[in-house]
Amino acid sequence: MIRKSALLLIAFPLIFVACKGPAPVEKSTPITPDQIVLQLRLLDENILKVQAEDPTTPNGQMLVMPRTINKDGSLSLCSTGDWTSGFYPGVLWYMFEMTGQPEWKEKAIKYTATLEDEQFNGSDHDVGFRMFCSFGNALHLTSNPDYIPVLVQSAKTLIARYYENVGCIRSWNFNQENLQCPVIIDNMMNLELLFWATQKTGDSVYYDIAVNHALTTMKNHFRPDNSSVHVVDYDTISGEVRQKNTHQGYADESSWARGQTWGLYGYTMTYRFTKNKDFLKQAEKIADFLLEHPNLPDDMVPYWDFDAPGIPDEPRDVSAAAIMASALYELCTYSEKGDIYYHQANKIMESLSSTYASAPGENYGFILGHSVGAKPTDSEVDVPINYADYYYLEARVRKMDLMAY
Ligand code: GLY
């Protein structure tokens, strides 16, 4: 969440790099705010229909949040423990922020409440995604103090995964035969919860861990061309890097699109809280890697991996585009290249709102289609995904704030 801040003048014409790659679907009229309302009302109805069947995971956990569309065409719900469970409450909070309508606030409160126990879920680093997108937005929009202890406990849960010798928060617990302290670039996103926790409590422990994590990641995740690897595994005793790989990308040396955008968003947000120019420079370097990449299509919606072998016949990842747009709307307020970043974000949003938006009544009510979860495992390829909708709405809110300034 950023609030209105000084926006640099953004009136200069842009020089675009000529890029290749056709859009995969036909152009349509841009989705309107009213159509977004109708889509999300439809999604809510569809969730209730699936919930009426009392669905559970194989472990017996209730399925509560919409996540995507299954291969058989059915609506996929996830449990509160899923890494994406915070995004649907966050979507509802952004709808309340945009419309001011109580219907969205009521739904947002209801779905946010289902996540309360997740404040203690330290089984991975995703407590930041789960809790800050839901409870974080809830606190911001309602100022209800009941949300504060839940968020502070969530931050405590997250820092319990910090390895002093490494200088990073451990991301995953699985594959312990091969990995000691795996840290994924996505983990940059969870730092916002920690920066908030120091602001709220006055205890610098959260801030210090967040800064160390960002510094260690800056040192070890990035390649000379400013792209990032997905996973860096560290030795928990010596803190040395043991191995690097790109679990969700095409190859270890490739640039997985969403990972690049997590980095862009993460370093932009880290600059917001620290005002350390090294973090701003890192965010600019990532932005320039993305925006100047020869494989970024003209419509600015990346292929799922910048090095995917079948480009231009590879699926796009709309979620990466939405994260990139939202991050660029923040970065443009800090950077001397703000005019470029602002206009590029607008271009991404125009594509998402037209070419990649669901037709009215389609996709169970998800706003956008055409995201990729994990192509190497053929999981969630070219489908709607909750986090694409979340960052798309966040980008719309950020743009509205910039225009109102
Ligand atoms: N954080 C997991 C993903 O981006 O797929």
Side-chain angles (χ1 to χ4, degrees):
M1 283 156 279
I2 46 166
R3 293 306 116 206
K4 294 186 186 86
S5 49
L7 174 61
L8 300 173
L9 281 179
I10 38 186
F12 299 101
L14 272 187
I15 302 165
F16 276 101
V17 182
C19 303
K20 59 186 178 185
V25 287
E26 300 211 338
K27 276 264 172 209
S28 58
T29 322
I31 192 164
T32 63
D34 286 348
Q35 285 169 341
I36 291 175
V37 165
L38 292 178
Q39 280 297 106
L40 291 174
R41 281 191 190 139
L42 176 65
L43 184 58
D44 190 57
E45 284 166 28
N46 283 321
I47 296 165
L48 296 178
K49 276 187 210 157
V50 180
Q51 285 175 345
E53 292 157 19
D54 219 10
T56 56
T57 65
N59 303 337
Q61 288 185 300
M62 285 295 298
L63 294 171
V64 282
M65 306 289 185
R67 175 168 165 142
T68 182
I69 297 181
N70 292 313
K71 280 190 178 151
D72 66 6
S74 59
L75 175 62
S76 163
L77 301 192
C78 64
S79 67
T80 60
D82 188 273
W83 82 269
T84 71
S85 63
F87 294 118
Y88 184 59
V91 159
L92 298 169
W93 284 117
Y94 282 133
M95 287 303 287
F96 175 56
E97 184 163 12
M98 285 192 296
T99 66
Q101 293 302 311
E103 96 176 84
W104 302 111
K105 184 176 179 183
E106 284 157 23
K107 289 184 175 106
I109 289 171
K110 177 181 122 184
Y111 278 93
T112 297
T114 66
L115 291 182
E116 189 161 343
D117 287 349
E118 297 302 327
Q119 65 185 298
F120 303 108
N121 179 357
S123 62
D124 55 37
H125 66 150
D126 291 317
V127 61
F129 278 115
R130 289 184 201 100
M131 303 308 282
F132 212 65
C133 299
S134 55
F135 279 81
N137 280 304
L139 178 64
H140 170 68
L141 290 173
T142 66
S143 301
N144 180 343
D146 292 348
Y147 292 128
I148 295 172
V150 177
L151 285 164
V152 172
Q153 176 56 49
S154 302
K156 286 185 179 151
T157 299
L158 184 55
I159 62 168
R161 299 184 63 82
Y162 181 67
Y163 283 71
E164 189 74 49
N165 292 353
V166 174
C168 271
I169 295 162
R170 178 180 175 161
S171 295
W172 296 331
N173 288 0
F174 65 81
N175 198 7
Q176 292 191 15
E177 320 78 65
N178 297 315
L179 300 172
Q180 287 191 18
C181 180
V183 178
I184 66 175
I185 188 68
D186 324 26
N187 203 338
M188 285 298 301
M189 301 295 287
N190 293 308
L191 305 185
E192 189 169 0
L193 171 67
L194 301 186
F195 287 123
W196 170 88
T198 286
Q199 281 187 339
K200 183 51 73 182
T201 65
D203 186 342
S204 61
V205 65
Y206 309 102
Y207 181 98
D208 292 343
I209 286 176
V211 168
N212 284 347
H213 184 100
L215 288 170
T216 307
T217 300
M218 199 156 71
K219 186 164 140 222
N220 295 320
H221 263 79
F222 289 89
R223 307 178 180 120
D225 67 356
N226 301 313
S227 67
S228 55
V229 69
H230 181 201
V231 191
V232 176
D233 184 39
Y234 294 92
D235 185 301
T236 53
I237 309 294
S238 69
E240 294 295 318
V241 172
R242 296 180 69 239
Q243 52 182 304
K244 300 185 182 190
N245 63 62
T246 294
H247 186 70
Q248 270 170 258
Y250 165 62
D252 288 344
E253 305 73 33
S254 72
S255 298
W256 173 50
R258 193 163 55 257
Q260 310 313 306
T261 63
W262 289 141
L264 172 66
Y265 191 118
Y267 279 97
T268 304
M269 173 271 297
T270 299
Y271 176 71
R272 183 199 321 157
F273 288 100
T274 61
K275 297 298 170 207
N276 177 336
K277 292 274 185 213
D278 290 343
F279 295 138
L280 176 59
K281 277 191 222 131
Q282 189 64 43
E284 290 173 332
K285 285 195 274 188
I286 302 168
D288 296 344
F289 170 84
L290 287 164
L291 297 172
E292 293 166 14
H293 200 289
N295 283 345
L296 181 68
D298 287 336
D299 69 5
M300 315 278 293
V301 176
Y303 298 99
W304 68 280
D305 188 305
F306 281 90
D307 303 299
I311 290 174
D313 300 318
E314 293 276 357
R316 305 297 186 89
D317 182 7
V318 154
S319 73
I323 297 160
M324 179 161 57
S326 187
L328 289 174
Y329 280 133
E330 177 167 16
L331 184 59
C332 80
T333 68
Y334 309 138
S335 171
E336 288 177 7
K337 291 185 272 188
D339 56 330
I340 294 177
Y341 297 148
Y342 179 76
H343 283 100
Q344 301 280 41
N346 284 347
K347 197 156 182 248
I348 297 169
M349 292 302 280
E350 281 159 22
S351 290
L352 295 182
S353 301
S354 54
T355 312
Y356 296 89
S358 305
E362 280 195 351
N363 284 338
Y364 289 96
F366 285 106
I367 305 168
L368 303 174
H370 307 290
S371 287
V372 171
K375 180 82 165 38
T377 51
D378 192 27
S379 169
E380 301 177 335
V381 177
D382 197 18
V383 286
I385 301 188
N386 55 17
Y387 44 91
D389 285 5
Y390 175 87
Y391 289 103
Y392 171 74
L393 289 186
E394 181 181 82
R396 284 183 79 114
V397 169
R398 287 179 171 192
K399 184 175 181 188
M400 273 167 40
D401 285 352
L402 290 173
M403 288 168 69
Y405 178 73

